[in-house]
Amino acid sequence: MTDAAKPDDRAAAELRGEHWIAGEASRGGGDAFHGVDPTSSERLEPAYFDAGDAELERAALAAVSAAPRLASARADRAALLEAIADEIMALGDSLLERCERETALPRARLVGERGRTTSQLRMFAAVVRDGGYVDARIDRGDPERSPAPRPDVRRMLHPLGPVAVFGASNFPLAFSVAGGDTAAALAAGCPAIVKGHPAHPGTSELVARAITAAVKKVGLPAGVFSLLHGRGRALGAKLVQHPAIKAVGFTGSLAGGRALFDLAAARPEPIPVFAEMGSVNPVFIMPGAMRARSAAIAAGLGRSVSLGVGQFCTNPGLVFVAGEDGLEAFTASLARTLSQTPVCVMLHEGIWTDYIQRVALQRQLPGVTMIAGGPAVPFPANGSCSVKPVGLLTDLETYESSPRLLEEVFGPVTVIIKCPDVAALEAVAAGLPGQLTATVHAERGEAGDAATLARVLGERAGRVIFNGFPTGVEVCHAMHHGGPYPATTDARATSVGSAAITRFLRPVCYQDFPAALLPAELRDENPGGLLRMVDGTCTREPVTSR
Ligand code: NAP
């Protein structure tokens, strides 16, 4: 933390129920709503008000006018990302306290998530400074080429323009107001207009203040960032349809992501929607692995299923096992781990209701038995969105005749599916809808079958994991957190890791341009020392004439 990042008065300041629009706070808008403590259903002050057309218009106009300066100020963007990280730390415990009240996520998890948020901001700052992400390519012209001269062609990536970001409920810091989508958009040079998630408006307000302070500190135009509060679909729909918006980043439900994708596609000018909507994250256990370490795999699986009350898009929802060998020990160990998990509180009533209903529907399927878990603590009898993790067991026949089992249940539940043999595992894998992750557990002696299964899974999932568990997504340069539909709306894109920046960039090609008119990244002398592709070879050297 720098000097500027010591906890200060700003962090302790009272929440005021404010939108932050291009550097200015405002309370105006439509209907009121409150954050709610999911452990007690207590309404949390202050009231927040749905942003209306006037607020959206102000944010959009400011974003459009700030875009050119943000696009051209690579060094300032890096400084901004670091300043945001500093300002978030400067909020101190007030941020963690409010976030804990609004989400019921434990303090240790929130401290970790804050660390992830600030480190991903700093990672993007380093990426922006390095500059290689612009993917500069130069093919030198050749006036002597016969039969026709070859043009001088140079290409690099430029920002798309203002991005609409939807704060996610399950990562109130790392995928919310200053989360991965906002960091990637700002890093790319795109102003961000965030629609805060209505389940944690106070957390959103505090983080928006931090971003606003950072923007001011580095001297960028205030319109590079706005936060609008809202609940009830209208604001999100209008934001995605606004002509100023050029791309959308979203994490949430399949219904929500798909609705926003359809709205964006129906615009007079369609725009890309990068919606990460989750998956069932199948785990495949080969017979050798089951024989060798069934109890250990089950214990690890149980911890992965109940981590964060199962509220991760990478939660392992389906587990396919081949044969009966070791299965009894496996289910016993899984049941033990799940039963030992204490009753936990989910993020909000909507997620709790959805979980309870979907688990009940799965449990009622003929052929499905329960191996762990009990009745949920009723809501609102004790006013708490509490649940116990659930383990279910079924067979291949039931799985094949029950499409419901392939739907994501957001929460701590997993279904074990007994398959007759390895060939059945491969057939199941080939029939899966798009997934964020898929996992294989195998022993050395079954490498051939495991390789075949992994290849099939690679066609269905964005990340394939060997002898591990899908929860805990590392934020790094090689990470891919995405996958074919319905896991996301764009299988090419990741929402975690530095490659997420490419979602908000588009190529521009300059043909036969005079040096003085080229962007610095494409000039012969390579003033920033970027790694560029020159005539097909990657180099940091300046370009010399032919
Ligand atoms: P959600 O219902 O998808 O909402 C996320 C955001 O999108 C909210 O700001 C919501 O605004 C907006 N939105 C949703 N549908 C919309 C529509 N048709 N038009 C315009 N805006 C829309 O997600 P959630 O509230 O976080 O949780 C609900 C369910 O989503 C969970 O039970 C779970 O199944 C799933 N979920 C999945 C993940 C994941 O990582 N895969 C993460 C979180 C949640 P309003 O509140 O204003 O409607």
Side-chain angles (χ1 to χ4, degrees):
M1 214 187 340
T2 65
D3 280 345
K6 293 202 183 92
D8 60 17
D9 292 339
R10 201 174 42 247
E14 297 251 315
L15 288 170
R16 291 189 287 264
E18 289 167 336
H19 310 286
W20 276 91
I21 302 173
E24 286 181 20
S26 83
R27 293 199 83 201
D31 293 346
F33 67 95
H34 288 77
V36 174
D37 181 342
T39 64
S40 62
S41 295
E42 185 193 334
R43 205 172 82 162
L44 302 173
E45 295 301 332
Y48 288 80
F49 297 89
D50 292 339
D53 292 348
E55 285 79 21
L56 174 55
E57 218 42 59
R58 267 167 46 217
L61 263 178
V64 169
S65 91
R69 166 91 171 87
L70 188 69
S72 64
R74 205 143 55 78
D76 289 348
R77 293 207 307 270
L80 172 64
L81 293 162
E82 288 166 344
I84 295 172
D86 286 345
E87 293 289 335
I88 287 173
M89 291 310 294
L91 291 169
D93 283 353
S94 58
L95 176 65
L96 302 173
E97 277 155 17
R98 177 69 188 197
C99 198
E100 211 172 341
R101 293 284 324 262
E102 291 183 326
T103 64
L105 293 171
R107 182 65 70 99
R109 146 78 193 267
L110 293 176
V111 169
E113 193 179 323
R114 183 179 60 179
R116 176 181 166 147
T117 309
T118 54
S119 64
Q120 79 193 352
L121 285 159
R122 294 185 200 286
M123 174 191 72
F124 276 115
V127 165
V128 173
R129 275 209 185 89
D130 174 80
Y133 76 92
V134 304
D135 191 20
R137 292 157 186 250
I138 297 173
D139 287 312
R140 290 176 297 168
D142 182 0
E144 308 302 325
R145 188 179 72 172
S146 172
R150 176 175 141 125
D152 183 279
V153 180
R154 302 180 185 220
R155 175 191 131 129
M156 65 176 279
L157 301 176
H158 286 281
L160 272 177
V163 173
V165 172
F166 285 74
S169 60
N170 60 335
F171 279 98
L173 301 173
F175 266 86
S176 193
V177 176
D181 289 340
T182 304
L186 293 175
C190 302
I193 302 181
V194 179
K195 190 241 177 231
H197 196 286
H200 54 257
T203 305
S204 299
E205 183 184 354
L206 287 172
V207 174
R209 280 189 209 162
I211 300 178
T212 303
V215 172
K216 198 167 172 195
K217 194 156 90 182
V218 300
L220 278 163
V224 304
F225 169 79
S226 291
L227 165 72
L228 301 174
H229 298 285
R231 195 175 69 158
R233 312 277 144 99
L235 172 63
K238 283 182 180 170
L239 182 58
V240 166
Q241 290 172 301
H242 198 287
I245 297 299
K246 300 301 176 199
V248 179
F250 170 93
T251 298
S253 64
L254 175 59
R258 181 63 204 234
L260 296 173
F261 176 85
D262 289 343
L263 282 176
R267 290 169 38 132
E269 178 200 0
I271 54 168
V273 173
F274 301 101
E276 192 265 84
M277 304 173 295
S279 63
V280 293
N281 304 296
V283 175
F284 292 80
I285 307 177
M286 302 288 280
M290 191 61 118
R291 274 192 302 274
R293 48 191 169 88
S294 61
I297 297 174
L301 176 69
R303 286 192 294 274
S304 182
V305 168
S306 32
L307 189 74
V309 205
Q311 299 166 122
F312 291 123
C313 41
T314 51
N315 196 52
L318 293 181
V319 182
F320 298 93
V321 301
E324 300 274 337
D325 236 8
L327 185 60
E328 210 175 306
F330 178 79
T331 48
S333 171
L334 179 63
R336 213 167 27 250
T337 309
L338 293 180
S339 310
Q340 283 164 359
T341 307
V343 169
C344 291
V345 179
M346 299 194 84
L347 288 160
H348 63 73
E349 189 187 341
I351 283 183
W352 182 89
T353 308
D354 196 61
Y355 173 77
I356 296 298
Q357 287 172 351
R358 285 175 187 265
V359 170
L361 288 170
Q362 289 196 341
R363 278 172 59 178
Q364 283 159 17
L365 288 170
V368 172
T369 54
M370 187 141 143
I371 59 164
V377 179
F379 183 95
N382 72 349
S384 152
C385 304
S386 312
V387 290
K388 278 285 280 180
V390 173
L392 302 172
L393 177 68
T394 192
D395 53 30
L396 185 58
E397 208 181 344
T398 305
Y399 167 76
E400 285 176 336
S401 60
S402 312
R404 178 167 293 288
L405 289 175
L406 265 174
E407 290 171 15
E408 179 187 37
V409 180
F410 198 66
V413 57
T414 196
V415 187
I416 316 300
I417 295 129
K418 291 182 280 184
C419 300
D421 49 30
V422 172
L425 294 188
E426 282 168 22
V428 163
L432 285 168
Q435 301 291 323
L436 293 171
T437 76
T439 301
V440 180
H441 280 268
E443 289 296 287
R444 225 173 247 263
E446 29 194 17
D449 283 342
T452 306
L453 187 56
R455 185 189 51 72
V456 176
L457 290 173
E459 290 167 11
R460 312 304 315 137
R463 179 164 59 107
V464 186
I465 297 141
F466 190 73
N467 282 355
F469 297 98
T471 43
V473 185
E474 187 68 24
V475 180
C476 59
H477 301 293
M479 179 48 68
H480 184 75
H481 186 63
Y485 186 86
T488 76
T489 47
D490 191 333
R492 297 163 296 182
T494 178
S495 57
V496 176
S498 60
I501 194 173
T502 57
R503 293 175 299 170
F504 304 127
L505 297 164
R506 70 179 182 89
V508 178
C509 177
Y510 300 85
Q511 187 164 327
D512 289 331
F513 255 54
L517 297 188
L518 279 169
E521 291 88 343
L522 294 177
R523 293 198 187 137
D524 283 357
E525 57 273 27
N526 195 14
L530 296 191
L531 187 64
R532 311 187 293 186
M533 183 187 280
V534 178
D535 296 333
T537 301
C538 290
T539 173
R540 290 188 191 273
E541 294 299 312
V543 170
T544 50
S545 337
R546 277 181 190 276

